Amino acid sequence: MAEAHQAVAFQFTITPEGIDLQLSHQALSQIYRSGLRSWKKRISRIKNRVIKGVYPASPSSWLFVVIAILAIMYTQSDPSMGLIARIQEHLPLSLSISLSAQGQTMVSALVFSTLLWLSLILTLRFCLKLLLSYHRWMFEQHGRISAKTKVWVSLVRLLSSRKPLLYSYQTSLPHLPVPAITDTLERYLESVRPLLSAADFERMTGLAAEFERGLGNRLQRYLKLKALWATNYVSDWWEEYIYLRGRGPIMVNSNYYGMDFLYVTPTPIQAARAGNTITALLLYRRKLNREELKPTRVPGTVIPLCSAQWERMFNTTRTPGEETDVLQHWQDSEFVAVYHRGRYFRLWVYRAGRLLSPREIQFQIQRILDDPSPPQPGEEKLGALTAGNRVPWAHVRKQHFSSGVNKRSLDCIEKAAFFVTLDDEEEGMMGEDPAGNLDRYAKSILHGKCYDRWFDKSFSVVIYKNGKSGLNAEHSWADAPTVAHLWEFTLATDAFQLGYTTDGNCKGDVERSLPPPQRLAWDVATEVQTQIVESLTVAQTLADDVDCHVFPFRDFGKGRIKKLKISPDAFIQIALQLAYYRDRGGFCLTYEASMTRLFREGRTETVRSCSNESCAFVLALEGGQEPEQCRKLFRLAAERHQNLYRLAMTGSGIDRHLFCLYVVSKYLGVESPFLKEVLSEPWRLSTSQTPVQQMELFDLVNHPEYISLGGGFGPVADDGYGVSYIIVGENMINFHVSCKQSCPETGSRKFGSQIRQAMLDMMTLLSSVQLGTAGVQTAKPDKKKL
């Protein structure tokens, strides 16, 4: 154990002559180097605070301002219009006595220059904030960018010319605006029109009108008041009420997963894959701490997105409470928590301030794999507490894990950089039924055995026996694009940067004097073991009910779709509407996740993909109308979808506004029949696109087999579907479909077949005519020019 190893730095014995002090120079050297690393991190953080604090200016620009002011003063001019003299009059008495008149003038000039420099920074930051508040560029047609937008792009580039750190743009991002209540209600009614009968729609219109005339405006005033002082009027309530206050299991219901490469497993050696994966994750954390990661941007543009979600990526755990959970974040942990065959270990990944090499981490992982010791009583299935209901876990944690050996061991898990599971199963696309194995692979990462993951950690990495890997992420601290960014870096660094030897082992040397991983000790009382069994029963019932289907769609990809001048996302969303109609014989409320990270601390907004236009297209196609009429309706549906997506991204969505109005009503203790009905509507089709954000890390031309499978999530409604998809390269789209086996009307494979057929049928329809010569252009703005 590292702490035990450092404890013997000082050894002493008591003799008749006094105390004989002995020093271990090796241990002292390790302590010194570890402390040196800590101080380097502190200095780096201070430096980064200064750099991002003055962005879009630079610290060196202060010197330029000082020299300019002094140069003007040298010409006997007063650039301050008397302010320097006024500052000189108010200098402290001690300076007035100790400095000459010329010295006092110099000090006053430095103070004035600094104040002028800070004023210029605030002005530049305000100008950048105003520029980033402009969103009309997103609504302009493909290839028809206005002169105003071109000037705007040039100004944004000018103010962003200096290389930013990860968080440099944070203070320049605009705040999320509160939409007008009239606009939100109008868009809501339009979104539910195709889902309601004439009588129900008339009733809902009446409820909305009554809400707007009465309670709505009152709630809106409170919401605007919150927006004046809160950084983001949605995000804190969204995190608390949607995630942290949920009392049911977070496994399946909230957590989501990411998969390994589809066709390639870089090494079949489990310990080696773990060594490289852990190293890649820690290298990402190093970049994150130093803020060396580039700020994420709207793809193909210079427009920055909020990076706040990166702050709690590592060293973070969701801890249970009776009424609400809490997210706890610690400073850099120098260890990870590892689970294998029912045992928990603490694995130190730093040695005297040095990150262990991949080969050394492999060596340590192999020690865990070779450890023959059995689990302690109650230890094997301890993780089931994080998979079951939250209140029992909160009670057990408070009563049995708040002191003694249990607290020390639980702290090792919760304060770890992240959690690692060494799984005894083999997963991936293999064997006689590769498709079926992909389905099993998805379920394994999503819930495993319900006790061999620690679902409370910000993320857990799973390394399978055959070298396959996966990731399970807790949802409250961040959304999927943030975790996907981490996972892309990890896969690419593992395969292309770190690599393996010809025999499949990690590269590098091993210091065999490394202390072995520390086995965590537990004292699991009978009462705790009983609760573990109860939590496991709840979790196992939930896991057994999940039906997953993962399939790669290779018939065509975004390349062919974009040649038809259609947005790939709009194409897929309309295909999902067609598939659902064929599967269930009707339409449903559809959720597509969109980001609001154009705003500070923005998270997500809902795109209600089931629109009047998409329904009209589906009904026309299924009703056997003329192909030309179907194509026309499709173009209208695609453009409508793109417009809905743009509105959601720019703060004019429907659902977050209504959600916050509902929260305000609860705080005021008033009931709204309209809000109550809106918030209780089920999302029977919940969808999300996993974005590929770092294609430069992958070479799909020379290494086309290194294709990511993306990730997925569990179904939202008991009688609905969860669909996630990732558009990889130009010729492939991977789909993840989930539902519940307890619903006789749903089936993940059945719906997957409907999606595939809908995609093919739509492409056949649209390929027969060149869409670019007629109708509405539906592709996104030409972001290469932005």
Side-chain angles (χ1 to χ4, degrees):
M1 290 80 74
E3 66 266 54
H5 192 73
Q6 293 180 3
V8 298
F10 299 96
Q11 300 177 11
F12 62 91
T13 55
I14 300 177
T15 66
E17 290 77 22
I19 297 176
D20 180 18
L21 186 65
Q22 301 174 2
L23 300 178
S24 168
H25 294 289
Q26 181 183 5
L28 283 175
S29 175
Q30 290 184 22
I31 293 172
Y32 166 74
R33 284 183 287 175
S34 182
L36 188 63
R37 173 179 175 267
S38 178
W39 276 104
K40 283 181 178 179
K41 286 193 297 181
R42 293 179 190 177
I43 293 171
S44 176
R45 288 190 178 113
I46 293 172
K47 176 185 173 184
N48 287 340
R49 286 194 193 105
V50 172
I51 292 174
K52 69 189 179 189
V54 302
Y55 194 86
S58 65
S60 59
S61 63
W62 174 82
L63 186 60
F64 174 81
V65 173
V66 171
I67 293 173
I69 295 297
L70 293 178
I72 295 173
M73 291 178 64
Y74 183 75
T75 63
Q76 305 301 315
S77 299
D78 184 5
S80 70
M81 293 181 289
L83 286 177
I84 291 178
R86 187 71 60 86
I87 293 171
Q88 188 170 344
E89 292 175 3
H90 292 83
L91 287 176
L93 183 61
S94 58
L95 285 177
S96 300
I97 295 173
S98 59
L99 294 177
S100 63
Q102 185 177 6
Q104 293 177 37
T105 303
M106 289 290 292
V107 171
S108 301
L110 286 174
V111 172
F112 171 76
S113 300
T114 302
L115 292 175
L116 178 61
W117 178 65
L118 292 174
S119 300
L120 290 172
I121 290 171
L122 292 175
T123 302
L124 289 173
R125 188 176 293 167
F126 178 74
C127 291
L128 183 57
K129 193 170 188 174
L130 284 178
L131 289 170
L132 295 178
S133 299
Y134 173 76
H135 298 130
R136 292 307 306 171
W137 62 272
M138 197 175 294
F139 295 86
E140 294 181 352
Q141 286 189 353
H142 176 71
R144 297 183 183 179
I145 299 176
S146 66
K148 181 180 179 180
T149 296
K150 290 178 181 178
V151 171
W152 167 78
V153 170
S154 300
L155 291 174
V156 172
R157 282 180 173 162
L158 180 64
L159 288 179
S160 306
S161 57
R162 194 171 69 84
K163 184 179 179 182
L165 297 175
L166 177 62
Y167 302 119
S168 291
Y169 287 110
Q170 290 302 100
T171 54
S172 299
L173 291 172
H175 288 199
L176 182 68
V178 180
I181 195 165
T182 302
D183 294 341
T184 296
L185 295 178
E186 182 181 329
R187 292 184 186 119
Y188 168 76
L189 291 173
E190 188 177 3
S191 73
V192 298
R193 182 65 188 91
L195 305 175
L196 300 177
S197 65
D200 287 339
F201 182 73
E202 184 178 353
R203 182 183 62 84
M204 186 57 75
T205 301
L207 287 175
E210 181 184 350
F211 175 73
E212 184 180 1
R213 287 193 304 268
L215 181 60
N217 285 317
R218 180 187 172 196
L219 301 179
Q220 179 81 343
R221 286 195 293 271
Y222 279 99
L223 202 56
K224 286 185 175 180
L225 183 63
K226 183 192 178 187
L228 287 176
W229 58 265
T231 306
N232 188 296
Y233 81 91
V234 175
S235 293
D236 58 338
W237 284 350
W238 187 255
E239 180 177 300
E240 179 180 358
Y241 292 106
I242 297 301
Y243 296 117
L244 297 180
R245 281 187 180 265
R247 301 293 79 200
I250 60 174
M251 182 199 78
V252 176
N253 292 330
S254 178
N255 286 29
Y256 53 96
Y257 65 87
M259 284 183 159
D260 198 0
F261 295 118
L262 174 59
Y263 299 113
V264 174
T265 305
T267 177
I269 301 175
Q270 186 177 21
R273 191 73 195 279
N276 265 12
T277 300
I278 293 171
T279 301
L281 289 166
L282 293 171
L283 291 176
Y284 188 94
R285 186 179 72 168
R286 178 187 290 173
K287 284 180 172 288
L288 179 60
N289 289 341
R290 296 175 179 176
E291 299 187 37
E292 294 173 350
L293 295 171
K294 296 178 182 178
T296 53
R297 303 178 188 272
V298 176
T301 77
V302 297
I303 318 304
L305 300 173
C306 179
S307 300
Q309 293 182 38
W310 268 258
E311 295 173 354
R312 298 179 293 181
M313 180 173 284
F314 293 90
N315 329 306
T316 298
T317 295
R318 173 174 175 163
T319 57
E322 293 187 13
E323 295 184 359
T324 182
D325 292 353
V326 177
L327 277 175
Q328 291 189 288
H329 176 73
W330 291 272
Q331 291 296 326
D332 249 7
S333 302
E334 296 195 343
F335 57 87
V336 298
V338 182
Y339 177 91
H340 177 244
R341 289 184 182 172
R343 296 90 43 84
Y344 290 87
F345 297 83
R346 173 160 58 175
L347 172 61
W348 293 91
V349 290
Y350 283 86
R351 170 82 161 171
R354 172 184 67 84
L355 176 62
L356 298 184
S357 70
R359 187 69 183 86
E360 287 174 325
I361 295 178
Q362 176 186 345
F363 175 72
Q364 295 289 72
I365 292 291
Q366 193 61 53
R367 281 177 157 180
I368 294 175
L369 293 172
D370 294 340
D371 187 330
S373 60
Q376 300 163 65
E379 179 185 17
E380 181 181 9
K381 299 179 181 179
L382 186 65
L385 292 171
T386 69
N389 291 317
R390 304 304 291 174
V391 174
W393 172 210
H395 289 162
V396 166
R397 188 178 188 276
K398 182 178 180 180
Q399 295 173 13
H400 299 277
F401 293 86
S402 58
S403 62
V405 64
N406 284 346
K407 184 181 187 304
R408 290 193 295 271
S409 294
L410 183 61
D411 281 348
C412 289
I413 295 175
E414 294 187 336
K415 295 182 179 180
F418 49 88
F419 192 81
V420 180
T421 294
L422 302 175
D423 203 302
D424 277 344
E425 303 294 329
E426 296 186 358
E427 298 294 351
M429 193 169 70
M430 56 189 183
E432 297 179 358
D433 182 19
N437 283 329
L438 285 182
D439 300 347
R440 191 184 72 175
Y441 179 22
K443 280 179 62 67
S444 176
I445 308 176
L446 182 62
H447 55 69
K449 297 174 182 175
C450 303
Y451 59 79
D452 54 350
R453 320 276 186 258
W454 200 266
F455 295 101
D456 286 355
K457 285 298 290 181
S458 55
F459 66 90
S460 300
V461 178
V462 183
I463 309 295
Y464 292 98
K465 188 176 182 180
N466 60 340
K468 215 67 183 171
S469 68
L471 177 141
N472 183 288
E474 200 275 317
H475 209 327
S476 63
W477 65 275
D479 301 307
T482 304
V483 177
H485 193 277
L486 164 72
W487 196 234
E488 285 174 7
F489 178 92
T490 302
L491 292 178
T493 302
D494 169 22
F496 302 119
Q497 302 300 322
L498 299 175
Y500 299 89
T501 62
T502 54
D503 57 357
N505 288 304
C506 294
K507 297 177 181 178
D509 299 322
V510 179
E511 182 184 333
R512 297 190 176 274
S513 62
L514 288 170
Q518 176 188 359
R519 176 77 186 276
L520 301 186
W522 305 93
D523 181 13
V524 184
T526 304
E527 180 184 347
V528 178
Q529 294 186 37
T530 301
Q531 183 55 57
I532 289 173
V533 172
E534 293 178 5
S535 294
L536 182 58
T537 301
V538 171
Q540 195 66 60
T541 301
L542 178 61
D544 291 343
D545 197 21
V546 176
D547 181 23
C548 292
H549 180 47
V550 180
F551 67 96
F553 182 83
R554 304 187 190 91
D555 295 84
F556 57 85
K558 72 174 182 181
R560 189 171 171 188
I561 297 173
K562 291 173 74 174
K563 284 181 181 179
L564 297 172
K565 301 187 185 301
I566 304 168
S567 160
D569 185 69
F571 184 96
I572 294 171
Q573 284 293 326
I574 296 172
L576 292 176
Q577 292 300 312
L578 177 58
Y580 188 88
Y581 183 84
R582 289 173 172 177
D583 184 67
R584 302 293 294 273
F587 300 103
C588 71
L589 195 61
T590 304
Y591 183 113
E592 181 189 4
S594 164
M595 65 176 179
T596 55
R597 287 170 52 213
L598 288 168
F599 305 95
R600 191 170 180 183
E601 294 185 13
R603 291 199 58 165
T604 61
E605 178 57 275
T606 304
V607 180
R608 293 180 167 231
S609 300
C610 182
S611 64
N612 289 301
E613 291 81 0
S614 66
C615 293
F617 164 72
V618 171
L619 291 174
L621 185 65
E622 293 300 281
Q625 290 194 25
E626 292 295 324
E628 182 56 37
Q629 177 66 11
C630 291
R631 286 190 285 268
K632 180 181 178 180
L633 291 172
F634 174 85
R635 290 193 289 270
L636 292 173
E639 179 58 31
R640 177 61 178 161
H641 179 269
Q642 283 300 96
N643 194 56
L644 289 172
Y645 203 98
R646 293 165 185 145
L647 288 170
M649 283 186 65
T650 53
S652 297
I654 300 169
D655 290 277
R656 299 302 177 269
H657 185 202
L658 293 176
F659 161 75
C660 288
L661 290 172
Y662 181 75
V663 174
V664 174
S665 74
K666 288 300 181 182
Y667 276 124
L668 296 178
V670 294
E671 288 290 334
S672 166
F674 171 74
L675 289 177
K676 185 176 181 180
E677 186 163 341
V678 169
L679 271 295
S680 63
E681 293 170 342
W683 300 96
R684 290 192 173 89
L685 185 55
S686 180
T687 72
S688 177
Q689 179 185 170
T690 304
V692 180
Q693 304 165 78
Q694 304 168 93
M695 278 304 297
E696 69 276 7
L697 297 178
F698 302 91
D699 183 2
L700 295 183
V701 175
N702 297 317
H703 299 285
E705 69 277 12
Y706 284 89
I707 291 177
S708 172
L709 264 169
F713 51 89
V716 174
D718 290 341
D719 58 348
Y721 293 105
V723 181
S724 176
Y725 51 94
I726 179 172
I727 301 172
V728 185
E730 297 294 311
N731 303 303
M732 190 175 187
I733 304 170
N734 291 327
F735 286 92
H736 299 249
V737 182
S738 66
C739 64
K740 292 194 173 181
Q741 298 195 39
S742 55
C743 177
E745 298 176 351
T746 60
S748 63
R749 284 207 170 195
K750 178 185 67 168
F751 193 57
S753 299
Q754 295 285 19
I755 294 173
R756 182 187 298 277
Q757 192 59 51
M759 296 276 287
L760 293 172
D761 291 347
M762 282 170 44
M763 180 56 70
T764 301
L765 171 72
L766 298 169
S767 296
S768 59
V769 171
Q770 182 68 31
L771 284 183
T773 60
V776 181
Q777 305 265 353
T778 62
K780 293 181 181 179
D782 189 358
K783 295 174 181 174
K784 292 183 179 178
K785 297 182 180 180
L786 300 180

